[in-house]
Amino acid sequence: MRTGVYPGTFDPITVGHMDIIKRALGVVDKLIIAVALDTGKDPIFALDERADMVRADMKTLGAESKRIEVKTFPGLLVNFAQENNATLLIRGLRAVSDFEYEFQMACMNSRLNPTMETVFLTASENTHFISSRFVKQIARLGGDISSFVSPHVAKHLKKHFA
């Protein structure tokens, strides 16, 4: 069984993340969505709250959701992946500018664990411009985010910025 890990901050999860998740299911038998504690970012939602939002969005995938597990993790991604018997790291690319950082990260992860492979999935043309950072900014300013996140996540954002 091929297990992949799709890591991220998911602060919050967007339709762009969902696009990558759906497509990653075509590559792996089991997908672990790894909600990161140590990201170097300053998330607005607590770790458990981010994981709960991801879990809620996974329910919308119906039967496919049985192949997905949502976990939180501290520390190094390659250690988390190894502890969960994963052999693939799934990374989404929105733009060419993402590639340099992601390529360096893939090389570093490979150096830390040579058995780990990174698979890059490019964002679809309908989602390549969506980022959690922009979604939070639009929500903070009272804009319409309904096409960028699920209704469940939109409620969390609205409550946070109320």
Side-chain angles (χ1 to χ4, degrees):
M1 184 164 89
R2 185 176 299 204
T3 300
V5 173
Y6 179 40
T9 307
F10 301 103
D11 185 49
I13 185 168
T14 68
V15 296
H17 293 122
M18 290 296 289
D19 175 60
I20 297 294
I21 289 165
K22 290 173 192 172
R23 292 176 35 231
L25 289 170
V27 177
V28 298
D29 301 304
K30 177 182 177 183
L31 182 63
I32 299 170
I33 300 174
V35 183
L37 172 65
D38 306 313
T39 65
K41 297 179 182 178
D42 189 21
I44 63 169
F45 295 111
L47 181 64
D48 290 339
E49 192 173 7
R50 289 183 275 134
D52 287 344
M53 283 189 275
V54 172
R55 286 185 189 99
D57 277 8
M58 292 311 103
K59 291 178 184 175
T60 67
L61 298 179
E64 290 286 54
S65 67
K66 293 178 178 148
R67 297 174 44 209
I68 299 171
E69 191 172 354
V70 179
K71 293 184 174 187
T72 61
F73 78 102
L76 289 172
L77 174 60
V78 291
N79 293 345
F80 173 81
Q82 188 171 9
E83 290 164 7
N84 286 276
N85 299 312
T87 57
L88 292 175
L89 301 176
I90 307 291
R91 299 299 295 168
L93 296 174
R94 288 178 304 214
V96 173
S97 58
D98 289 344
F99 181 76
E100 185 175 356
Y101 171 80
E102 292 295 343
F103 180 74
Q104 289 175 330
M105 185 66 67
C107 291
M108 191 63 79
N109 286 334
S110 179
R111 177 71 80 164
L112 292 170
N113 182 342
T115 66
M116 197 66 55
E117 289 291 339
T118 300
V119 174
F120 296 109
L121 297 176
T122 57
S124 70
E125 64 184 46
N126 298 326
T127 64
H128 73 277
F129 59 90
I130 300 172
S131 74
S132 294
R133 181 174 45 106
F134 288 147
V135 169
K136 288 184 287 193
Q137 190 172 28
I138 293 166
R140 183 176 57 80
L141 297 171
D144 180 10
I145 56 169
S146 61
S147 64
F148 308 130
V149 296
S150 69
H152 173 75
V153 171
K155 286 179 189 174
H156 277 269
L157 284 163
K158 186 174 182 178
K159 180 181 175 185
H160 178 81
F161 290 117

